[in-house]
Amino acid sequence: MELLVSAINLDEAKEALAGGADILDVKNPKEGSLGANFPWVIKEISDYAEDVIVSTTIGDVPYKPGTVSLAALGSAVSGSNYVKVGLYGPENYEQAVEVMNAVVKTINNYDENITVVACGYADAYRVGSVEPTDIPKVAFDSGCDLAMLDTYLKDGRRLTDHMTHDELKSFVETSHNYNLKVALAGSVNASDIPLLEDINCDIMGVRGCVCTGGDRNNGTIDSLLVRQLKDNI
């Protein structure tokens, strides 16, 4: 299982890499769960981390395929290897596929080697987004490479508060049957490693648990915390 660590700037990116992160994610928590960062920040980090996979969130996106595909292209041009789309606005499978079709076409026209990630929310029932159980099929039918789950509301409730072990296992198995990799996030920490490994999750996504004070918003990434987590995997 690989470790994805979400950084907000170059200093945090350096800490994440020093701690052994496998995938360096770039996001902006001020703009939401999968809040988008600025192109110049993405470029600065991608230029620094030339030999590491750089993943970029493009936001908790609306149901606006054109807008979202432009944001995806901006992420790719700025140096991203992974483009992550938070399917917040789409309310059902059909709308989600429409958005992801536009993103995949856009990215493939630019660089077919870039990985496209369809990300749903384990707490979709609280915000009216597409059901998490639909995400693997959305990802497969639109030509994505990876299916992901996170939590939208960062209110102390975690991935495992919204979905059971069996539900998460089913998500992973369905995705793998579609030949998709799987990333799981949502306030996960070291205590979740046995579960994630048991269900064969490919990528564990974190931020809060490797930040000082365990605070994703006001803390900063600490390489020692990243290393401790990495050593447990």
Side-chain angles (χ1 to χ4, degrees):
M1 186 167 66
E2 295 179 297
L3 179 63
L4 176 150
V5 178
S6 296
I8 64 172
N9 55 40
L10 182 57
D11 287 340
E12 285 200 343
K14 291 179 179 179
E15 287 289 311
L17 291 177
D22 299 298
I23 300 171
L24 188 56
D25 190 48
V26 186
K27 69 164 56 172
N28 179 9
K30 291 181 179 179
E31 294 197 2
S33 174
L34 274 76
N37 214 317
F38 301 99
W40 55 88
V41 175
I42 298 169
K43 187 175 189 309
E44 185 178 35
I45 292 174
S46 64
D47 286 347
Y48 175 81
E50 292 182 350
D51 299 323
V52 179
I53 293 173
V54 175
S55 164
T56 301
T57 59
I58 66 168
D60 303 296
V61 306
Y63 171 45
K64 294 183 178 180
T67 298
V68 178
S69 58
L70 276 173
L73 182 59
S75 169
V77 169
S78 300
S80 301
N81 306 115
Y82 282 25
V83 175
K84 288 165 52 183
V85 183
L87 293 167
Y88 170 69
E91 298 178 357
N92 52 49
Y93 162 84
E94 289 77 15
Q95 292 180 357
V97 167
E98 186 179 356
V99 169
M100 293 313 304
N101 273 334
V103 170
V104 170
K105 181 177 181 178
T106 299
I107 295 301
N108 284 347
N109 283 343
Y110 177 74
D111 184 347
E112 292 184 348
N113 294 314
I114 294 176
T115 295
V116 179
V117 183
C119 184
Y121 304 96
D123 55 350
Y125 66 94
R126 304 174 73 189
V127 294
S129 298
V130 59
E131 291 291 331
T133 51
D134 286 336
I135 297 300
K137 184 170 174 54
V138 167
F140 176 75
D141 288 348
S142 58
C144 294
D145 307 286
L146 197 152
M148 180 173 182
L149 286 181
D150 203 329
T151 52
Y152 178 75
L153 296 174
K154 301 300 183 180
D155 58 358
R157 300 184 69 184
R158 307 180 335 106
L159 175 73
T160 50
D161 291 324
H162 302 292
M163 296 181 69
T164 66
H165 175 283
D166 287 347
E167 288 172 335
L168 291 170
K169 183 178 181 179
S170 176
F171 181 91
V172 173
E173 288 180 345
T174 301
S175 299
H176 285 171
N177 287 338
Y178 283 136
N179 202 29
L180 299 165
K181 292 184 71 174
V182 176
L184 295 176
S187 300
V188 294
N189 56 44
S191 69
D192 298 302
I193 291 174
L195 180 150
L196 297 180
E197 291 184 334
D198 178 63
I199 63 176
N200 294 319
C201 175
D202 301 296
I203 300 169
M204 176 183 187
V206 301
R207 174 169 172 78
C209 72
V210 295
C211 284
T212 53
D215 191 332
R216 72 186 296 271
N217 295 313
N218 300 310
T220 57
I221 292 175
D222 184 329
S223 62
L224 293 178
L225 295 175
V226 177
R227 175 54 62 189
Q228 288 172 9
L229 187 64
K230 175 69 175 176
D231 287 346
N232 279 319
I233 296 177

